[in-house]
Amino acid sequence: IEAEVQRRKQLIHQSVERKAIISKCYKRKHPEVYILQDSFLAPDFLEIVRYCTSSDAHPHGLLRYVESFSDKRIYRLPVFTEEFCQAFMDELENFEQSDMPKGRPNTMNNYGVLLNELGMDETFITPLREKYLQPITALLYPDLGGACLDSHKAFVVKYSLHEDLDLSSHYDNAEVTLNVSLGKDFTEGNLYFGDFSQDPTPMPKYIEIEHVGARGLLHRGGQIHGALPIASGERWNLIIWMRSSAIRNQLCPMCNKKPELVEAEGFGDGFTETLEDDAPETVNLCSLW
């Protein structure tokens, strides 16, 4: 355990070093994809956001615009245009083929890109979360801080026949997760969802959901889920773990205890510390769990 604690402490500094090198030395192939534009977003997605920001927005009305699966509060919706997905994957492949240092998403995904290290947090992911996703999550997940998702961790994972094929059962360090299939041609590899992490049953009932290119799945971070093996081709997925400090400051979702905080870079794990005058501090603290 001590060795793992030390490894995780080093991850913070290593990520900062990689980001600085990438910022200075990496030559972007498609610099336009680093700054979010409405033209990257599917027209149907923009219509959903317009509904969610209207005066008569209601959860039941929102369900007319999205696909809902069982009673597990999992929703599929259009997110990006296919043209953007193609340009984005082209940029990611260009980065993968470069000699830049690369951090991997987590201990379960060995292939992929941390988007904060690539320099996409401030200009792409943050406005996507704040302006477009939060109006949707406010209606779908009010009990999970959907209206006040104030930080995130965003990364891209890659599945292919000679690399990662699948992903074992797990739940996310997030209140709400968005998982977008960016594409490439692939077969099989459905996602599966079981119980909520805090309500496991002796015989959990799983459902399978197909991943559709340029469309995203919204689900609770605590929903136990995984990815079945792909049978052919290659798949890239954009994952955004969205976090609400108002929720996780009360209870760490990973250890189910009151969080003990240590300083971290950037958003950390999404916890915040209240100052003496009760003014919220920026989201820059995380918990060791």
Side-chain angles (χ1 to χ4, degrees):
I1 293 174
E2 282 296 330
E4 178 64 9
V5 168
Q6 293 304 316
R7 186 189 72 83
R8 293 187 180 211
K9 284 182 177 180
Q10 289 301 314
L11 287 178
I12 299 169
H13 307 296
Q14 293 166 358
S15 182
V16 172
E17 292 173 0
R18 286 192 298 265
K19 184 177 180 180
I21 294 171
I22 293 167
S23 176
K24 182 180 179 180
C25 303
Y26 175 59
K27 182 173 177 57
R28 297 173 175 178
K29 185 174 182 179
H30 296 287
E32 69 278 5
V33 304
Y34 288 76
I35 301 175
L36 182 64
Q37 302 175 42
D38 276 6
S39 60
F40 298 166
L41 302 170
D44 288 348
F45 177 75
L46 293 172
E47 184 178 352
I48 292 171
V49 176
R50 279 193 292 272
Y51 173 78
C52 292
T53 53
S54 65
S55 58
D56 59 347
H58 188 276
H60 292 299
L62 175 56
L63 294 181
R64 298 197 307 265
Y65 296 88
V66 301
E67 295 179 75
S68 179
F69 295 91
S70 75
D71 59 348
K72 297 182 184 295
R73 301 174 69 187
I74 305 165
Y75 308 95
R76 183 161 61 199
L77 69 166
V79 181
F80 299 117
T81 66
E82 291 186 6
E83 292 78 10
F84 167 75
C85 290
Q86 288 292 333
F88 187 31
M89 285 191 297
D90 197 32
E91 177 65 31
L92 294 169
E93 289 184 319
N94 184 67
F95 177 71
E96 277 291 297
Q97 292 162 10
S98 74
D99 59 358
M100 291 295 103
K102 301 172 182 70
R104 296 311 183 186
N106 49 62
T107 55
M108 298 181 73
N109 294 108
N110 300 302
Y111 301 91
V113 180
L114 292 165
L115 295 184
N116 70 309
E117 294 185 5
L118 205 55
M120 297 191 72
D121 255 3
E122 295 81 2
T123 56
F124 192 103
I125 302 297
T126 293
L128 178 64
R129 168 174 52 82
E130 292 179 344
K131 183 178 179 181
Y132 299 95
L133 294 173
Q134 193 158 281
I136 301 172
T137 58
L139 290 178
L140 295 178
Y141 305 104
D143 53 321
L144 296 173
C148 52
L149 297 170
D150 51 1
S151 70
H152 61 260
K153 177 178 179 179
F155 50 95
V156 173
V157 295
K158 176 186 174 186
Y159 299 93
S160 68
L161 292 183
H162 302 295
E163 297 175 347
D164 286 341
L165 281 175
D166 55 10
L167 189 61
S168 302
S169 295
H170 65 285
Y171 57 91
D172 300 336
N173 187 0
E175 274 62 70
V176 181
T177 295
L178 174 67
N179 183 334
V180 183
S181 177
L182 298 173
K184 285 227 173 172
D185 293 325
F186 61 91
T187 57
E188 303 297 334
N190 287 352
L191 301 188
Y192 60 89
F193 293 86
D195 292 332
F196 194 70
S197 61
Q198 297 177 8
D199 307 305
T201 56
M203 293 293 290
K205 181 181 178 182
Y206 287 90
I207 62 167
E208 280 188 37
I209 301 176
E210 181 184 1
H211 234 333
V212 180
R215 301 178 79 85
L217 290 171
L218 271 173
H219 63 86
R220 296 174 293 176
Q223 194 83 47
I224 296 173
H225 61 285
L228 295 171
I230 63 170
S232 66
E234 185 175 298
R235 184 174 79 200
W236 292 76
N237 288 51
L238 167 64
I239 314 290
I240 306 178
W241 289 353
M242 294 178 281
R243 296 154 167 172
S244 169
S245 60
I247 298 295
R248 61 182 40 227
N249 284 352
Q250 307 304 313
L251 197 71
C252 171
M254 306 307 288
C255 64
N256 290 319
K257 297 179 182 178
K258 178 75 175 177
E260 296 181 15
L261 302 180
V262 297
E263 290 190 20
E265 295 285 342
F267 288 133
D269 277 358
F271 301 91
T272 57
E273 185 175 60
T274 303
L275 303 176
E276 292 182 2
D277 61 0
D278 290 332
E281 193 177 346
T282 53
V283 187
N284 65 350
L285 298 152
C286 70
S287 173
L288 286 178
W289 44 264

